[in-house]
Amino acid sequence: RLRATAEPMTTPTLTRWLLDHTRQNPSQEDLEALLSSIAMGCKTISGIVQRAGVDGLDGAADTINVQDEQQKQLDIIANEVLKDALRYTGKVGLAASEEEADPMLVEEAFGSKYVAVFDPLDGSSNVQAAVATGTIFGIFKQNVECLVDDDDENMDDDQTRCLLNALQPGRSLVAAGYCMYSSSTVLVFSLGDGVHGFTLDPRSQEFVLSHDDVRIPERGPYYSFNEGNAKEWDAHVRGYLDSLQGVKGSRYVGSMVADVHRTLLYGGIYGYPADTKNKNGKLRLLYEAAPMSFLVEQAGGRCSDGRR
């Protein structure tokens, strides 16, 4: 169920929406300031992605990330953009990226309240084909203050506990969202009280409310699985997919942000099952699965790891 404002002149921008939300929820003022900075980072990444082919930034880099994957140039650039956006909010004390092995301590934010985790550019392998990509982020409360020296090899217990703030369970998320870079740039997020979507107006460069109080339809026409991996799946998963044949249509982009975005709006099922090569699944729990599950459940959907 989507409710879009009918008159463009009265449609609130993200800035106005956050101001109104802060008046009603004063305790979330810092969280909303953090979201504003993430939105600025998304605007920057959107512009870079749009010009990637022209600027020669759509190819691979000569580096391998912590996931043992070859990085794209845009992975590295988007990662730096998000780190800078989070660093200068003054609200994040610890940030963790899918592209880096260790969390980043934000020294400028001593006494801050939040931990941010993010996948800077999901679907970056699709950039050369101009297929949708996106940024995924999750926000946790910071449970302990962080004072970590540069000597990583000789950290005491308190310093170790500080870095472990980045390894919180998904149920501890206080906010999550994604930016999708496609035919339009869309920011979708939840602060724990529903899901809201904003589309970037290319003329004003403002995010404008386009999807208010997103609710997943109870019945959807599509399922979204990479069926090229079907031979490697568990027999129960294959049986379930067989039961959908002729009942639902198949739609699979190969960019999690795009596939989940479609599922949020149209309904249906998205999955990336474990297989013989990836026995625990391939989605990263901290950077992808947990934030997206938070959004889906806030929109009235359900999520499972296949067992729970």
Side-chain angles (χ1 to χ4, degrees):
R1 176 168 62 87
L2 305 179
R3 295 203 305 268
T5 306
E7 298 179 13
M9 295 301 293
T10 63
T11 303
T13 63
L14 176 63
T15 301
R16 193 178 104 191
W17 189 94
L18 288 174
L19 286 172
D20 290 343
H21 196 267
T22 300
R23 292 191 191 99
Q24 299 172 25
N25 304 272
S27 64
Q28 291 189 337
E29 182 176 2
D30 287 348
L31 186 59
E32 288 156 5
L34 172 55
L35 185 61
S36 293
S37 292
I38 291 175
M40 289 297 295
C42 289
K43 288 182 188 180
T44 301
I45 295 172
S46 175
I48 294 170
V49 168
Q50 288 177 351
R51 290 190 54 84
V54 177
D55 294 338
L57 298 175
D58 56 351
D62 295 326
T63 52
I64 303 296
N65 67 12
V66 67
Q67 314 294 342
D68 199 30
E69 298 172 338
Q70 184 173 33
Q71 291 180 300
K72 302 294 183 181
Q73 295 179 71
L74 286 178
D75 287 323
I76 298 171
I77 295 170
N79 189 54
E80 292 302 317
V81 170
L82 259 295
K83 285 167 59 177
D84 286 344
L86 293 168
R87 181 181 291 117
Y88 294 113
T89 63
K91 311 299 181 185
V92 174
L94 197 66
S97 168
E98 185 188 30
E99 297 298 325
E100 299 189 9
D102 300 313
M104 173 187 72
L105 176 66
V106 182
E107 296 177 359
E108 295 90 336
F110 176 72
S112 61
K113 298 181 179 179
Y114 297 107
V115 175
V117 297
F118 59 92
D119 179 352
L121 197 63
D122 171 68
S124 58
S125 60
N126 290 325
V127 167
Q128 287 183 313
V131 174
T133 56
T135 297
I136 304 171
F137 61 89
I139 308 296
F140 299 96
K141 284 188 177 180
Q142 185 165 314
N143 297 322
V144 297
E145 291 185 345
C146 289
L147 289 172
V148 179
D149 297 328
D150 291 334
D151 186 3
D152 295 338
E153 295 182 358
N154 296 296
M155 292 191 300
D156 60 27
D157 290 344
D158 288 339
Q159 292 171 332
T160 301
R161 278 194 294 272
C162 163
L163 294 184
L164 289 176
N165 260 275
L167 297 177
Q168 298 187 44
R171 62 177 175 272
S172 297
L173 283 163
V174 297
Y178 60 81
C179 289
M180 184 177 71
Y181 316 114
S182 186
S183 58
S184 57
T185 296
V186 182
L187 169 63
V188 177
F189 65 87
S190 174
L191 302 178
D193 55 1
V195 177
H196 310 281
F198 292 76
T199 299
L200 184 63
D201 183 339
R203 295 168 298 183
S204 66
Q205 284 298 297
E206 289 275 3
F207 278 106
V208 179
L209 182 64
S210 53
H211 303 84
D212 191 17
D213 189 20
V214 177
R215 304 295 295 176
I216 299 178
E218 291 186 8
R219 298 288 179 182
Y222 307 122
Y223 68 90
S224 185
F225 287 71
N226 183 359
E227 294 178 272
N229 294 332
K231 291 183 178 179
E232 311 297 330
W233 292 341
D234 180 271
H236 295 90
V237 176
R238 292 199 305 270
Y240 174 68
L241 265 292
D242 288 343
S243 73
L244 297 179
Q245 304 304 309
V247 179
K248 295 183 183 294
S250 175
R251 297 288 188 276
Y252 184 73
V253 175
S255 171
M256 185 185 188
V257 169
D259 285 315
V260 170
H261 185 71
R262 183 190 56 250
T263 303
L264 279 173
L265 300 189
Y266 299 162
I269 305 157
Y270 170 82
Y272 205 112
D275 55 39
T276 55
K277 297 178 183 177
N278 303 281
K279 296 186 182 300
N280 293 317
K282 194 173 181 181
L283 296 179
R284 279 76 187 190
L285 176 62
L286 185 63
Y287 307 112
E288 298 170 329
M292 287 303 208
S293 295
F294 181 86
L295 279 178
V296 167
E297 292 183 353
Q298 283 289 317
R302 295 183 179 182
C303 298
S304 170
D305 63 2
R307 299 180 181 86
R308 294 166 290 179

